[in-house]
Amino acid sequence: MSLPGKVWFVGAGPGDAELITVKGRGLIEQADAILYAGSLVSQAALNWAQSRCAIEDSKDMTLEQITTWLIDQAHRHTTVVRLQTGDPGLYGALVEMVRPLDQAGIEVGVVPGVSSAMASAAAAVESLTLPEITQTVILTRIEGRTPMPEHESLYELAAHHCTLCLFLSITLLKEVSRALLDAGWREEDPVLVVQKASWPGEEKIVRGTLADIRERCIAERITSQAMIIVSPALGARHWPDIRRSKLYDPGFSHRFRKAHPSS
Ligand code: SAH
């Protein structure tokens, strides 16, 4: 009997099919079977698949049905792809799916993807880090049906006053603002919400403050597939002055460039 094939967990990127990696696209082209997260992954990515490839949408499947399908396909084919939104390692149930495959003796590989956190910042031309303003990004969510581990409440994380990218939290904007205000942020602090970042023709960018972002999102009918970014660096593109990054500073030497003597 031949050995089972390999199951690849491929990050499809945030929406725009062109934001998949070259490696991810190569695996789609090569795949014998693809299981994709229907409501979140662009159908356009499937156009690269061969006509003989078995393609299935997982939107109505339970985790058990997903892993059973993957194991079954791996017993019949060489290359099986599980196409996931953004990066598979962020809120993607990756470990839950890999463990049954491990138990079944199926080889597994992961191809990273562009997360919606990065795509949302890019859509709004924002940097998640800025010298002397914030050098830290926290990728998190507010507590919903999934309980937060100890010391990871939004209130505790917000106390760091760095950049926070909030997944899966758009329906809880009132609670988000409350947690940040309790942690010392101000009502006038800026908030960015991006819905369907990078989806051609569907992306929405909403800017507001902790005080009014909820009303603005309600007005725009944004209730799903949206990233919330709060950061002391938001809007820096339009500040009168910013600290420059040492990386491109003429007076700063690094491995690839000597400091300019006159600076
Ligand atoms: N693995 C994915 C996240 C999956 S969880 C990633 O790395 O992006 C689903 C959450 O991701 C949504 O609730 C929303 O907060 C966010 N999200 C996914 N796609 C998005 C997009 N195109 N624009 C904005 N937010 C998105």
Side-chain angles (χ1 to χ4, degrees), residues 14 85-87 90-91 115-117 120 166-168 194-197 199 225-227:
T85 172
D87 181 82
L90 288 168
Y91 308 105
S115 173
S116 56
S120 297
L166 304 176
F167 293 75
L168 300 159
V194 182
Q195 185 182 43
K196 298 201 94 174
W199 284 82
Q225 270 181 282
M227 176 68 46

Side-chain angles (χ1 to χ4, degrees), residues 9-259:
F9 291 84
V10 174
D16 181 349
E18 291 190 357
L19 286 177
I20 196 168
T21 61
V22 174
K23 182 162 185 142
R25 178 176 167 167
L27 282 162
I28 290 179
E29 287 167 348
Q30 195 186 310
D32 306 296
I34 299 175
L35 185 62
Y36 70 104
S39 50
L40 297 164
V41 168
S42 169
Q43 301 266 345
L46 302 168
N47 292 337
W48 296 313
Q50 303 183 45
S51 51
R52 61 162 176 78
C53 178
I55 299 179
E56 190 90 23
D57 185 350
S58 66
K59 77 173 178 328
D60 299 320
M61 292 185 177
T62 62
L63 193 80
E64 285 70 21
Q65 288 168 331
I66 288 174
T67 51
T68 303
W69 194 91
L70 294 172
I71 291 168
D72 186 43
Q73 294 295 330
H75 280 295
R76 298 192 219 173
H77 299 297
T78 317
T79 306
V80 179
V81 167
R82 165 65 180 156
L83 197 57
Q84 308 239 132
T85 172
D87 181 82
L90 288 168
Y91 308 105
L94 177 65
V95 172
E96 291 99 308
M97 287 185 272
V98 166
R99 284 165 60 101
L101 297 182
D102 283 343
Q103 275 167 13
I106 309 276
E107 199 187 344
V108 163
V110 180
V111 178
V114 175
S115 173
S116 56
M118 278 67 223
S120 297
V125 195
E126 293 286 356
S127 177
L128 299 177
T129 62
L130 198 65
E132 297 181 42
I133 301 295
T134 180
Q135 295 286 281
T136 306
V137 183
I138 295 178
L139 305 180
T140 188
R141 60 176 298 173
I142 196 162
E143 181 162 273
R145 278 183 298 176
T146 306
M148 290 302 274
E150 207 187 346
H151 304 309
E152 290 188 30
S153 70
L154 188 54
Y155 168 74
E156 282 169 280
L157 296 176
H160 291 282
H161 232 272
C162 59
T163 297
L164 299 162
C165 298
L166 304 176
F167 293 75
L168 300 159
S169 303
I170 194 65
T171 57
L172 297 168
L173 264 176
K174 197 196 270 180
E175 290 77 1
V176 167
S177 290
R178 181 79 273 139
L180 269 82
L181 292 171
D182 288 350
W185 294 64
R186 295 162 311 163
E187 291 208 332
E188 63 272 27
D189 283 338
V191 184
L192 168 69
V193 169
V194 182
Q195 185 182 43
K196 298 201 94 174
S198 88
W199 284 82
E202 294 185 59
E203 181 180 275
K204 273 191 193 171
I205 299 175
V206 177
R207 291 178 185 271
T209 63
L210 281 179
D212 68 13
I213 192 68
R214 185 164 172 268
E215 276 62 46
R216 287 174 187 264
C217 286
I218 290 170
E220 293 286 336
R221 294 201 193 84
I222 295 180
T223 53
S224 68
Q225 270 181 282
M227 176 68 46
I228 307 164
I229 300 182
V230 282
S231 167
L234 282 181
R237 184 186 187 184
H238 303 295
W239 293 353
D241 199 17
I242 55 160
R243 299 274 176 180
R244 57 188 293 169
S245 165
K246 293 262 189 288
L247 187 60
Y248 300 115
D249 190 325
F252 186 72
S253 294
H254 58 66
R255 200 150 66 90
F256 301 109
R257 196 191 60 224
K258 287 264 180 295

